[in-house]
């Protein structure tokens, strides 16, 4: 085993105590101290530097059947993280290496080295491996190009467009030759960001009026691809605006994550039949084979500044829960990151 730097006596980590009903409450969680375990054969010990909080984590707090296992009560939660290896008993990963992994919501994590992906802090800031060059970036890339079957000349509408995924979807569409890119966001400042910095052709604040009316004004000739991060009213409006053989990519439905009652579906689903629309969900885990192409194309865009990104950084493990709740409220612009 490699020499281990001096470590604190314990690591702080977040546990789920009870399954939230509706909006998560502070008493559903606890920040506890846990012993730092030295790595066994084939394992590494990582000091986390950046943690990811994402909307999908709300689903894991429920025990309803889903595409990913729920968090276990009384145990540490998981999430994307990037950190520095401080002890290693694994071939190919040395002390001082930086790795991407899913042992988040904690300061230190010991796990099988096969679950770690080495990243280069000199090639890009470490935080970007959780966002623009990480899971959210690949979600945007695969969702638009593979699931959405985007082609040059398409008009694209993105809801939640100032978020980590949505902002990249719109920019990739522009870089790939979209005829028009429209975004929705929850504040006038975010709308300004979409148009002035991200290069969207039009954007609107969904709080300023009915989505259907604002979308019609922004896309008078309709849309060909809808990338949905919100659901609800946005999805209904997009179905009404999609042109013949349009595609709707369902990535998230953040407007419904804390609902305690069943939410009604779009009232205009007959349009799916009339316009021969395709509606398909996207889960990033289905598209890891797309990762090499994603990095090859998007990496240079990020390096050159052609593809811009924002991060909302919250300091300290103590504020990990508040950062997560902030994502559900829409407090973030771009990727929400917790810096340890």
């Amino acid at each position: 085993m490699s020499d281990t730097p001096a470590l604190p006596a314990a690591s702080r980590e977040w546990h789920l105590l009870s399954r939230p009903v509706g909006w998560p409450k502070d008493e559903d969680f606890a920040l506890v101290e846990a012993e730092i375990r030295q790595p066994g054969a084939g394992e590494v010990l990582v000091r986390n530097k950046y943690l990811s909080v994402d909307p999908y984590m709300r689903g894991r707090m429920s025990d309803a059947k889903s595409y990913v296992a729920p968090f276990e009560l009384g145990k540490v939660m998981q999430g994307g993280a990037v950190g520095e290896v401080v002890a290693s008993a694994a071939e190919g990963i040395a002390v001082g290496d930086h790795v991407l992994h899913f042992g988040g919501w904690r300061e230190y994590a010991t796990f099988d080295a096969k679950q770690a992906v080495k990243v280069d802090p000199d090639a890009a800031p470490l935080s970007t491996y959780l966002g623009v060059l990480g899971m959210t970036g690949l979600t945007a890339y695969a969702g638009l190009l593979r699931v959405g079957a985007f082609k040059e000349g398409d008009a694209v509408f993105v809801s939640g467009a100032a978020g980590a995924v949505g902002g990249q979807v719109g920019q990739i569409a522009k870089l790939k030759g979209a005829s028009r890119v429209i975004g929705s966001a929850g504040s006038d400042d975010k709308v300004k960001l979409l148009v002035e910095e991200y290069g969207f052709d039009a954007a609107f604040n969904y709080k300023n009026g009915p989505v259907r009316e604002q979308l019609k004004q922004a896309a008078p000739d309709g849309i060909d691809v809808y990338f949905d991060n919100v659901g609800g009213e946005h999805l209904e409006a997009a179905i009404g605006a999609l042109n013949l053989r349009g595609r709707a990519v369902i990535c998230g439905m953040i407007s419904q994550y804390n609902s305690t009652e069943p939410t009604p579906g779009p009232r205009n689903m007959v349009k799916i039949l009339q316009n021969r629309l395709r509606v398909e969900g996207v889960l990033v885990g289905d598209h890891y084979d797309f990762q090499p192409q994603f990095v090859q194309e998007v990496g240079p865009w990020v390096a050159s500044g052609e593809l811009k990104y924002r991060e909302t950084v919250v300091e300290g493990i103590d504020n990990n829960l508040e950062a997560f709740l902030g994502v559900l409220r829409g407090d973030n612009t771009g990727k929400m990151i917790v810096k340890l």
Side-chain angles (χ1 to χ4, degrees):
M1 186 184 302
S2 304
D3 292 337
T4 305
L7 298 175
S11 169
R12 290 178 295 171
E13 58 186 37
W14 282 94
H15 287 200
L16 183 66
L17 301 184
S18 57
R19 303 205 180 276
V21 177
W23 198 267
K25 302 180 291 295
D26 288 350
E27 52 265 34
D28 295 323
F29 308 87
L31 181 61
V32 304
E33 289 193 346
E35 180 183 355
I36 297 175
R37 182 173 66 82
Q38 290 297 323
E43 292 185 323
V44 291
L45 170 61
V46 175
R47 177 173 65 87
N48 286 330
K49 292 188 173 183
Y50 294 94
L51 308 178
S52 177
V53 287
D54 303 279
Y56 81 87
M57 294 173 173
R58 177 62 184 87
R60 295 197 68 185
M61 294 171 188
S62 166
D63 59 0
K65 186 176 180 180
S66 185
Y67 60 88
V68 64
F71 292 133
E72 294 184 60
L73 293 179
K75 295 188 177 181
V76 63
M77 295 185 286
Q78 297 92 35
V82 64
E84 182 179 0
V85 176
V86 294
S88 175
E91 291 186 12
I93 298 183
V95 170
D97 283 345
H98 289 83
V99 296
L100 174 67
H101 61 96
F102 278 91
W105 288 78
R106 69 200 86 182
E107 293 174 308
Y108 288 81
T110 304
F111 53 89
D112 189 330
K114 293 177 182 176
Q115 299 171 1
V117 176
K118 285 202 287 188
V119 296
D120 184 358
D122 296 324
L126 283 174
S127 59
T128 62
Y129 294 106
L130 295 174
V132 66
L133 294 177
M135 184 177 71
T136 54
L138 179 59
T139 301
Y141 188 82
L144 176 67
L145 301 183
R146 177 179 277 177
V147 180
F150 171 86
K151 60 185 183 298
E152 186 176 353
D154 279 345
V156 178
F157 171 44
V158 187
S159 60
V165 174
Q168 272 190 263
V169 171
Q171 291 184 78
I172 292 170
K174 288 294 291 184
L175 288 163
K176 288 283 195 178
S179 61
R180 189 166 178 80
V181 174
I182 304 104
S184 73
S187 75
D188 292 341
D189 285 341
K190 289 180 179 180
V191 167
K192 185 177 179 181
L193 168 74
L194 293 177
V195 175
E196 296 185 3
E197 187 170 330
Y198 287 179
F200 282 55
D201 296 291
F204 59 85
N205 182 345
Y206 67 85
K207 297 177 182 177
N208 288 347
V211 174
R212 180 179 60 82
E213 294 177 9
Q214 295 195 77
L215 178 58
K216 187 173 182 179
Q217 184 174 356
D221 297 324
I223 58 175
D224 302 296
V225 179
Y226 171 51
F227 199 101
D228 189 15
N229 293 300
V230 176
E233 183 187 4
H234 278 81
L235 178 56
E236 182 171 300
I239 288 174
L242 279 164
N243 294 323
L244 186 68
R245 304 196 188 285
R247 289 85 67 201
V249 181
I250 310 302
C251 181
M253 294 192 170
I254 198 168
S255 68
Q256 302 173 24
Y257 286 168
N258 294 305
S259 298
T260 56
E261 298 293 331
T263 51
R267 296 166 295 181
N268 58 347
M269 291 181 68
V270 67
K271 289 285 188 181
I272 297 174
L273 170 62
Q274 292 171 345
N275 285 340
R276 280 81 93 200
L277 307 180
R278 180 163 60 81
V279 180
E280 184 176 346
V282 57
L283 296 178
V284 70
D286 295 337
H287 302 283
Y288 285 137
D289 64 302
F290 226 30
Q291 179 85 19
Q293 179 178 325
F294 160 69
V295 173
Q296 184 179 16
E297 187 162 28
V298 174
W301 284 341
V302 174
S304 69
E306 290 176 273
L307 196 154
K308 299 173 176 61
Y309 67 94
R310 290 287 192 94
E311 294 175 340
T312 300
V313 180
V314 172
E315 300 269 352
I317 189 75
D318 310 70
N319 295 313
N320 212 87
L321 176 59
E322 180 56 28
F324 166 71
L325 295 176
V327 171
L328 298 184
R329 290 192 299 261
D331 294 351
N332 56 303
T333 299
K335 184 74 183 77
M336 180 73 90
I337 300 284
V338 178
K339 181 180 180 182
L340 302 189

